[in-house]
């Protein structure tokens, strides 16, 4: 079955620690995205990538980093510079020239 | 100004009844797209329906239809014959700009929580 997987489902971060969220897709989509969702708010774009080895900052990129070494994979690192990382993180992908983004199941990040 | 406005924080509907979830948008682009997503308690965002700004017919997908009123800048989601499994958060979103070339930003509303009552 084609789809997007995210791991882990829950992630705990200690003060000053970097953590990495995984996102993998087997839909053969060129574009991938990371969003952050806070309670009572819509999704906010962190980073996006339209092609391997290229990515762009979204609206709230500070404190986050990404890489796109393979078409299928777009990991997100939450660095210690992100002072308020507790949120639900959603990864999405799309065919670049089509409209719809398809989402993974999400990772909930909590700070210890 | 908010790009996407969803004014109903919560809605109740009786099972088997129809329900309309409101969405208004703000853009100066001529070419744009409107989406609805469903987010159950599990968290995954599920794509429901899409409407392009140049589409003359309202989009329909099974029990979902999008009531597109361009002059009013509204894109309401209509769910017919509600089922218990329809209980979820529903998000309206808008893509601005034309597709060829670079990324076109998608903006999401804050969502409406729908609860279906048996």
């Amino acid at each position: 079955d084609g789809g997007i997987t995210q791991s882990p489902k829950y992630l705990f971060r200690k003060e000053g620690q970097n953590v990495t969220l995984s996102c993998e897709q087997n839909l053969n989509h060129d574009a991938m995205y990371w969003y952050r969702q806070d309670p009572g708010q819509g999704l906010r774009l962190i980073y996006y990538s339209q092609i391997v080895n290229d990515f762009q900052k979204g609206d709230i990129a500070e404190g986050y980093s990404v890489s796109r070494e393979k078409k299928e994979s777009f990991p997100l690192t939450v660095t210690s510079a992100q002072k308020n990382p507790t949120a639900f993180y959603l990864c999405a992908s799309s065919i670049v020239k089509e409209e719809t983004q398809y989402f993974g199941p999400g990772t909930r990040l909590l700070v210890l | 100004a908010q790009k996407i406005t969803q004014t109903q924080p919560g809605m109740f509907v009786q099972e088997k009844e129809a329900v309309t979830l409101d969405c208004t948008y703000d853009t100066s682009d001529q070419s744009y797209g409107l989406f609805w997503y469903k987010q159950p308690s599990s968290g995954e965002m599920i794509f429901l329906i899409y409407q392009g700004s140049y589409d003359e017919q309202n989009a329909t997908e099974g029990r979902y239809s999008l009531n597109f009123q361009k002059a009013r800048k509204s894109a309401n989601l209509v769910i017919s014959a509600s089922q218990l499994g329809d209980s979820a958060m529903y998000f309206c979103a808008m893509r601005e700009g034309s597709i060829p070339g670079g990324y076109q930003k998608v903006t999401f509303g804050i969502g409406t929580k729908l609860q279906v009552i048996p």
Side-chain angles (χ1 to χ4, degrees):
Chain A
D1 286 336
I4 303 173
T5 57
Q6 290 186 243
S7 62
K9 188 173 182 179
Y10 295 96
L11 185 58
F12 298 92
R13 194 190 91 163
K14 294 180 181 178
E15 202 73 36
Q17 186 181 40
N18 293 353
V19 293
T20 298
L21 285 61
S22 169
C23 177
E24 304 274 334
Q25 55 97 1
N26 61 4
L27 299 168
N28 199 32
H29 286 173
D30 291 303
M32 297 186 74
Y33 314 84
W34 274 105
Y35 290 92
R36 170 178 170 142
Q37 186 179 26
D38 294 282
Q41 296 190 35
L43 277 63
R44 292 183 291 167
L45 182 68
I46 305 172
Y47 268 98
Y48 67 96
S49 168
Q50 290 194 282
I51 196 168
V52 173
N53 292 323
D54 183 64
F55 47 83
Q56 304 295 327
K57 292 182 179 180
D59 298 322
I60 56 166
E62 186 175 351
Y64 300 97
S65 66
V66 294
S67 63
R68 186 89 187 275
E69 297 176 3
K70 298 187 299 182
K71 187 176 184 178
E72 302 80 16
S73 178
F74 192 39
L76 173 74
T77 297
V78 184
T79 74
S80 57
Q82 174 48 245
K83 297 306 179 188
N84 184 22
T86 297
F88 188 56
Y89 291 86
L90 285 157
C91 178
S93 70
S94 70
I95 298 173
V96 171
K97 293 187 177 180
E98 293 193 5
E99 300 282 353
T100 304
Q101 295 181 18
Y102 295 92
F103 286 81
T107 292
R108 194 165 299 279
L109 177 60
L110 301 166
V111 177
L112 295 175
Chain B
Q2 294 287 332
K3 289 281 188 179
I4 294 286
T5 302
Q6 295 182 254
T7 57
Q8 305 155 313
M11 291 279 287
F12 290 91
V13 64
Q14 202 78 35
E15 194 177 7
K16 299 181 184 177
E17 298 293 313
V19 63
T20 298
L21 306 182
D22 294 342
C23 173
T24 57
Y25 60 91
D26 181 27
T27 182
S28 56
D29 286 353
Q30 296 300 309
S31 175
Y32 53 89
L34 297 154
F35 307 81
W36 278 92
Y37 285 88
K38 171 185 178 181
Q39 187 178 42
S41 57
S42 60
E44 182 174 358
M45 296 283 281
I46 301 167
F47 166 71
L48 295 178
I49 196 166
Y50 166 78
Q51 178 87 38
S53 58
Y54 292 120
D55 295 341
E56 295 185 354
Q57 301 285 336
N58 285 344
T60 60
E61 289 287 347
R63 294 186 299 111
Y64 304 108
S65 60
L66 198 153
N67 184 1
F68 181 46
Q69 298 191 35
K70 198 168 182 176
R72 292 186 175 185
K73 292 189 175 179
S74 75
N76 299 339
L77 177 70
V78 180
I79 304 175
S80 62
S82 297
Q83 302 172 356
L84 295 177
D86 293 336
S87 294
M89 286 290 290
Y90 288 81
F91 291 90
C92 180
M94 176 175 65
R95 185 272 307 153
E96 297 176 271
S98 59
I99 277 292
Y103 171 73
Q104 290 80 38
K105 181 177 179 178
V106 176
T107 304
F108 289 80
I110 63 171
T112 294
K113 184 172 184 178
L114 177 67
Q115 296 188 60
V116 180
I117 304 166

